[in-house]
Amino acid sequence: MAFDSGAVLDVSDVSFRVGRQAVLTQVSLRVERGEFVALLGPNGAGKSSLLRVVSGECRPESGQVRIAGRALASWRRRDLARHRAVMPQKVDVSFPFTAREVVALGCPADRVTGRQALIDSLLSRLGVADLADRLIGSLSGGEQQRVQLARVLAQVCDSDGPRLLLLDECTSALDPAQQQLVFSLLRELASVEGYAIVAVVHDLNLAAAHADRLVMMCKGRVVADGPPLMVLAPDLLRQVYGLNSRVERLPEGYPVVVPLVGGHYSQEMAEPVSSQRCPRIPQTALSR
Amino acid sequence: MATDVVRRAPPAYVYAGLGALLVAVSLLSLGSGAYPLSVEHIVRLLSGQAGADGAAHMVLFEVRLPRLLLGFLTGAVLAVSGVVLQGLFRNPLADPVLIGVSGGAAMAAVAVIVLGGSWLAGWSLLAGRWALPLAAFLGAASTTFLAWRIASRGGQVSVATLLLAGIAINAIAGALTGLMVFHADDSELRSLTFWNMGSLGQASWDDLKIAGPWMVLALVLAPFLARPLDAFAMGESVAGHLGFSVDWVKRAAVVLAALGAGAAVAVTGLIGFVGLVVPHLLRQMIGAGHRLLLPASALGGGALLVGADCLARVIVAPAELPIGLMMALLGGPFFLVLLIRMRGY
């Protein structure tokens, strides 16, 4: 199969609504080969909806999604599955499958030789090799998440041509050390193996430390798109999240966001899963 | 279940065990009854070494063999339909009842029994000997189709709506059945009661000819759904991401289950629990992967029904218990014990 040498993912002017509610408004996003893009924004900003449109689960009202230069609709399902893998926020496995069997579900049907070896290597890369023969339902949330990530990687890891990962909060149940492990792995997959990765992330500092580019969304629009040092500006964070913060540049070269608590409201610290959208918090409500 | 590594029997052992069980109950089924036949005699008759005349030949080929085959196919197809619908609904309790198969079949069967001499005289005349099974099959197919139509919108089918529509349609079919039961006279009541309890007692080559091909078709096609059903265990959207056509899988699963279970119900009446107990048990033994589970369930369901039929024949000999009753008597308590033992899981 011949592939366009351009962007792995090209989203142009996509709008999408649910009922009358505009969920995405003229969103454009390009992700090149080897690029790791973190998608940021408050709850309800449209991050997951964007992933759903890009993964083909929802059809946009207008605009176009191209993967490796081809319009999404013109891909054959099976071919697309070899080049693009999706990790939803939560996956419930409804029958007693073992971790190994879950990863095997990700392996393409035509891959017969070396299947078990591939599964074992993916499980150990994610630090869950010793759980391979346990039932997925008996694992903790974080362990299940890593097994699912192995399943997602199994889907595309041995295909030639472009590889695109769409990850929706893929480390939300992991402890900080495991989050670092997973993000370092993603970083490596992008830089070394040329994966294009779009990951919805809530932890700004995790995103800043590992991603090439941050894309900030708010109310269904992309409000900033660029390298971490450019996107993570206190003004933007205040406008988008209502978060008072100081942003410092670390000697390692990436910024770190320090939420300010004293006397100021910090949504990030106080209520990381609030459903408010781009709120302006009245100071009087925060005097406690 | 404890959190340690799962212990499963090697699939080869499970298959060998199921195969041995099937052979054993088959010989038992062919040999036992008012005219007992020894294993040796059965083998000689089947291989054509014994003469083709005489009572033994008659009993074996005209009574017991069709009964065995119909019992096996019915058990196999009910278990496989159970697995397919459980995979589709992502619930180990799903059953052909849920998509309206049994309710529709029962309503149509009762209609033929009760109204066959009056309002439906034309149908009875037209379909003759096939009036009852054909009506039951059409009833099963049309209630399933109705539930499907209600659940689909803009080319997409909501599995949750399908479930609810199936339950509502079952209730309506049940009420209409009740109305006809109310209207029925004593002999009609007796025959519809027996239909509701399921029976292999009337099994003949003719039954096999009419229902067999559909059941075999369902059994042969089911393994093609193994991989998509595995993917469905993680939800429709994940199955879509993995490259499966979600709508196609749903359609295929419902058609297959309605076809197989509808054909089975049409000739044997209502037989419950096979589709519930067999897959549940086998999932514990060889895991939830459908590639192994589907054929194992066919073997297990077939063996279970043939075995239960043997019991139903000898337990109150010379009379026989309806097989559906037998299944509920055996299956109910067995399932409860299973649930109580598995409570930790």
Side-chain angles (χ1 to χ4, degrees):
Chain A
M1 204 180 300
F3 295 106
D4 200 302
S5 55
V8 175
L9 173 65
D10 187 359
V11 178
S12 53
D13 280 332
V14 159
S15 297
F16 174 61
R17 49 179 77 229
V18 176
R20 287 191 182 167
Q21 177 87 31
V23 178
L24 297 173
T25 312
Q26 295 193 311
V27 171
S28 294
L29 174 68
R30 268 176 80 90
V31 185
E32 310 284 338
R33 185 176 188 279
E35 226 182 352
F36 179 5
V37 173
L39 207 51
L40 308 174
N43 298 121
K47 308 180 295 292
S48 297
S49 301
L50 179 58
L51 282 200
R52 274 205 292 277
V53 168
V54 170
S55 69
E57 243 177 279
C58 302
R59 208 173 269 272
E61 186 180 276
S62 62
Q64 242 208 347
V65 176
R66 290 178 168 274
I67 288 177
R70 282 170 59 185
L72 195 55
S74 73
W75 278 88
R76 279 179 48 208
R77 261 176 239 281
R78 208 141 288 215
D79 295 336
L80 187 60
R82 300 288 279 118
H83 297 283
R84 166 300 267 123
V86 187
M87 170 121 167
Q89 269 179 30
K90 186 156 171 48
V91 179
D92 284 318
V93 182
S94 53
F95 288 107
F97 283 97
T98 62
R100 181 191 300 282
E101 288 168 338
V102 168
V103 181
L105 292 181
C107 290
D110 50 17
R111 188 193 171 98
V112 182
T113 53
R115 199 175 230 219
Q116 292 306 325
L118 174 73
I119 293 170
D120 283 328
S121 82
L122 285 171
L123 284 170
S124 68
R125 261 182 116 166
L126 285 153
V128 283
D130 50 332
L131 309 177
D133 292 312
R134 290 207 4 211
L135 292 181
I136 188 86
S138 72
L139 304 182
S140 76
E143 290 164 342
Q144 287 193 29
Q145 213 162 29
R146 279 180 284 160
V147 171
Q148 287 294 343
L149 204 52
R151 192 260 304 165
V152 166
L153 295 179
Q155 197 181 327
V156 293
C157 70
D158 63 345
S159 65
D160 357 300
R163 287 174 288 194
L164 173 64
L165 296 184
L166 305 171
L167 312 171
D168 198 349
E169 296 187 42
C170 65
T171 60
S172 59
L174 301 186
D175 64 45
Q178 293 299 344
Q179 289 188 335
Q180 290 295 340
L181 180 129
V182 168
F183 270 73
S184 304
L185 173 63
L186 295 177
R187 173 72 269 167
E188 189 190 319
L189 289 174
S191 327
V192 181
E193 302 185 37
Y195 281 58
I197 301 176
V198 181
V200 172
V201 188
H202 271 301
D203 185 329
L204 301 173
N205 292 327
L206 200 61
H210 295 93
D212 296 299
R213 249 168 72 209
L214 307 185
V215 172
M216 181 70 79
M217 291 185 69
C218 186
K219 293 181 175 168
R221 293 173 189 272
V222 171
V223 293
D225 180 349
L229 277 166
M230 194 190 96
V231 171
L232 293 182
D235 280 348
L236 184 74
L237 295 177
R238 191 175 305 113
Q239 279 169 22
V240 170
Y241 290 100
L243 173 73
N244 283 314
S245 62
R246 191 166 70 227
V247 177
E248 294 193 4
R249 186 186 175 148
L250 295 181
E252 286 82 357
Y254 51 84
V256 60
V257 177
V258 184
L260 298 176
V261 192
H264 297 279
Y265 180 76
S266 161
Q267 195 192 20
E268 185 77 354
M269 297 281 288
E271 206 184 343
V273 287
S274 155
S275 61
Q276 281 167 296
R277 289 176 196 170
C278 307
R280 302 272 174 197
I281 308 295
Q283 290 295 314
T284 50
L286 308 167
S287 49
R288 278 181 298 152
Chain B
M1 186 162 291
T3 54
D4 52 358
V5 170
V6 286
R7 290 186 197 288
R8 286 175 181 162
Y13 288 13
V14 175
Y15 275 99
L18 289 171
L21 184 67
L22 182 62
V23 170
V25 293
S26 299
L27 288 175
L28 199 63
S29 168
L30 291 177
S32 60
Y35 191 105
L37 292 169
S38 69
V39 172
E40 193 207 343
H41 199 172
I42 294 168
V43 171
R44 273 196 292 129
L45 282 166
L46 285 179
S47 60
Q49 287 168 353
D53 49 338
H57 189 272
M58 229 296 277
V59 166
L60 186 68
F61 282 91
E62 294 308 317
V63 179
R64 300 215 181 132
L65 203 54
R67 183 169 188 155
L68 169 69
L69 290 176
L70 188 67
F72 172 75
L73 280 179
T74 302
V77 90
L78 288 177
V80 164
S81 304
V83 172
V84 166
L85 291 176
Q86 284 149 21
L88 177 69
F89 289 112
R90 306 182 65 211
N91 189 322
L93 296 177
D95 187 75
V97 174
L98 287 183
I99 54 167
V101 169
S102 320
M107 182 177 70
V110 170
V112 169
I113 292 171
V114 177
L115 307 175
S118 49
W119 292 3
L120 296 179
W123 169 257
S124 298
L125 211 64
L126 194 72
R129 155 118 180 62
W130 308 121
L132 180 61
L134 212 55
F137 182 70
L138 292 176
S142 50
T143 42
T144 305
F145 181 72
L146 187 61
W148 178 268
R149 280 311 300 266
I150 290 169
S152 51
R153 203 172 164 187
Q156 292 203 317
V157 169
S158 153
V159 165
T161 314
L162 182 61
L163 191 78
L164 294 172
I167 289 171
I169 288 171
N170 258 328
I172 296 168
L176 292 176
T177 308
L179 271 179
M180 286 182 282
V181 169
F182 188 71
H183 178 77
D185 65 28
D186 281 356
S187 75
E188 288 163 359
L189 266 182
R190 193 172 159 78
S191 76
L192 66 87
T193 306
F194 275 98
W195 192 87
N196 269 331
M197 289 194 282
S199 172
L200 295 172
Q202 306 300 314
S204 67
W205 289 111
D206 283 344
D207 285 330
L208 278 168
K209 263 183 230 152
I210 185 174
W214 303 111
M215 295 200 268
V216 170
L217 190 68
L219 290 177
V220 169
L221 293 182
F224 288 100
L225 285 173
R227 252 187 88 81
L229 286 177
D230 281 350
F232 255 63
M234 296 192 288
E236 281 179 35
S237 60
V238 172
H241 299 149
L242 286 170
F244 295 104
S245 166
V246 172
D247 283 319
W248 184 87
V249 174
K250 285 192 256 192
R251 201 161 298 154
V254 168
V255 167
L256 195 143
L259 201 71
V265 168
V267 287
T268 63
L270 296 183
I271 300 176
F273 272 106
V274 184
L276 212 56
V277 176
V278 172
H280 187 84
L281 195 64
L282 287 171
R283 241 181 237 118
Q284 311 300 324
M285 291 165 75
I286 56 170
H290 290 85
R291 194 174 57 84
L292 292 174
L293 182 61
L294 282 166
S297 294
L299 283 177
L304 177 65
L305 205 64
V306 172
D309 183 46
C310 290
L311 262 183
R313 267 154 44 188
V314 298
I315 216 164
V316 289
E320 58 178 73
L321 282 178
I323 181 91
L325 204 64
M326 200 66 218
M327 279 311 303
L329 272 177
L330 287 176
F334 176 76
F335 201 55
L336 280 180
V337 170
L338 216 61
L339 287 181
I340 291 165
R341 274 182 48 198
M342 300 281 168
R343 247 182 327 198
Y345 176 65

